Structures are given as C-alpha cells and as structure tokens.
Amino acid sequence: MENKIILYGASGHAKVIVDALQTSNIAIQTIIDDNPKTKSLLGIEIVKTSDFNFVLFDNVIISIGNNKVRKKIASKYKVNYAMAIHPATVISECSEIGNGTVVMAGAIINPEVKIGNHCIINTGAILEHDCFIDNFAHISPGVSLAGNVSIGEGSHIGIGATVIQGIKIGKWTTIGAGAVIIRDVPDYAVVVGNPGKIIKYNPKDE
C-alpha cells in the first residue's frame, strides 16, 4: 500500500497523470483535493485533503497545472515526491528529471537535458540537447525547444510555441500559444506572436 502513488489535486491535469501512471502499471492509492467536486476521477477515489494525512506517506505527485500552486504546496509539504512518465516517450539516458515532475505521452527529451522538480513536460513536447528546465515550469503540448535553451523557474511555455537554439527565458514568464521566440526573454515577461514580443509583465508575487 505504501508504494502506491498519491495525487494532490483532482483536476483535468490529474486525469492525464492517472493515465500515464496506469499505462505504466503503477498503482494509485487515492487522489486528495482541498475542495473536491466529485467522489472519484477515472475510477480513483477522491478524499478531502483535511481528511487524509498524506504527509505520513511517500510517493506524492502534485497533480495541479498551476505553477504557483504547485510551488506553494511543495514548499508546505516536505514529503517524498514521485515522478510520472508515460511509457510512450523518448527520453535519453543522459538526461536528468527531478522529483515531482511529470512527462506526458509523445514527449521527446534528448541528451544532456536537465529538468528540475515539479515540472510538467506535456504531450508531444520536444526538448533538444542541453536544455535546462528549472523547477515548477510547464512546457505545454507541442512545444519545440531547440538545443541549449534555458527556461526559468515557474515559466509557462504555451501550446505549440517554438524557441530557437541558445535562448534564455527568465523565471515566471508566460510564452503565448504558437509564439516564436528568437531572442532572450526577461523575468516575468508575457510574450506573444511571431516573432515574440513582450506585451506586459506578470506580477512579482510568486
């Protein structure tokens, strides 16, 4: 029982993690949620957080898509965090993936990529050689990162975005869907378009 995974958050993102785990034949003990709206998700029981002392258990994954919320929960609860990696991925043995990170179906992670803790590498994302993804970042479905790209803590790279080689993207940035990034992006910037342009800045309250 203690080897089963506990998910924190009964969201749509949790559904994809459940599928990745079940496809890998990894058992899930339960899903906990602060304010559950239903009793189960894909057949997995949902328990209210206040009714489940999950800090006594290992193998927890924070199944919440919001990067700031994942950081808040991970900072509050010092437990052993597990990974979820869908078997339909291509991951170099020379890459590194941190605790709490999830990698969805179809993702490709090439040599010498380093991924931090509690990241989301979503469906069909491509991370070329020598990329660095800091903690709590989210690489959305269909994103393509060329070689030597650096993504800062908590940044969200939107669906289908493309980043050319050698680019550095700061912390807590938002890169819009389909954006093409051809120059470095500072911390907290919100960037959209092709080529990407800064339209505003996220609040510095993370």
Side-chain angles (χ1 to χ4, degrees):
M1 179 70 75
E2 63 273 8
N3 293 324
K4 292 184 178 181
I5 299 291
I6 297 166
L7 300 185
Y8 191 133
S11 61
H13 178 55
K15 292 180 181 180
V16 188
I17 296 176
V18 167
D19 181 71
L21 292 169
Q22 291 181 335
T23 303
S24 302
N25 295 315
I26 297 173
I28 302 165
Q29 178 172 337
T30 191
I31 301 171
I32 63 173
D33 192 275
D34 293 347
N35 296 290
K37 297 178 174 59
T38 183
K39 293 183 178 180
S40 66
L41 186 148
L42 298 181
I44 309 297
E45 180 187 22
I46 300 172
V47 178
K48 192 169 184 179
T49 308
S50 58
D51 296 333
F52 185 85
N53 190 4
F54 85 103
V55 298
L56 299 178
F57 293 82
D58 286 332
N59 300 318
V60 177
I61 296 174
I62 304 171
S63 48
I64 296 171
N66 185 292
N67 297 345
K68 290 184 178 181
V69 174
R70 284 202 311 287
K71 181 176 182 180
K72 182 178 180 181
I73 293 169
S75 299
K76 181 177 180 180
Y77 298 109
K78 304 300 184 182
V79 300
N80 179 59
Y81 288 101
M83 293 185 293
I85 298 177
H86 196 286
T89 59
V90 177
I91 301 176
S92 169
E93 293 182 359
C94 301
S95 62
E96 298 178 11
I97 300 175
N99 294 332
T101 287
V102 297
V103 183
M104 305 311 187
I108 299 174
I109 300 172
N110 276 326
E112 300 294 330
V113 171
K114 293 179 173 58
I115 301 171
N117 300 323
H118 303 286
C119 293
I120 300 170
I121 310 301
N122 224 316
T123 310
I126 298 173
L127 282 62
E128 268 300 340
H129 63 89
D130 300 294
C131 286
F132 172 71
I133 314 299
D134 208 345
N135 301 332
F136 307 106
H138 180 178
I139 311 301
S140 293
V143 167
S144 295
L145 303 182
N148 291 289
V149 168
S150 176
I151 307 294
E153 181 188 65
S155 286
H156 184 183
I157 313 302
I159 189 168
T162 301
V163 184
I164 68 167
Q165 67 274 9
I167 291 296
K168 291 180 171 55
I169 294 177
K171 64 182 180 180
W172 300 102
T173 66
T174 302
I175 306 300
V180 177
I181 307 303
I182 62 172
R183 56 182 60 89
D184 291 352
V185 176
D187 297 345
Y188 305 102
V190 178
V191 179
V192 300
N194 178 9
K197 295 181 179 179
I198 298 172
I199 58 169
K200 62 179 181 178
Y201 286 85
N202 290 318
K204 298 180 181 181
D205 60 356
E206 82 288 346

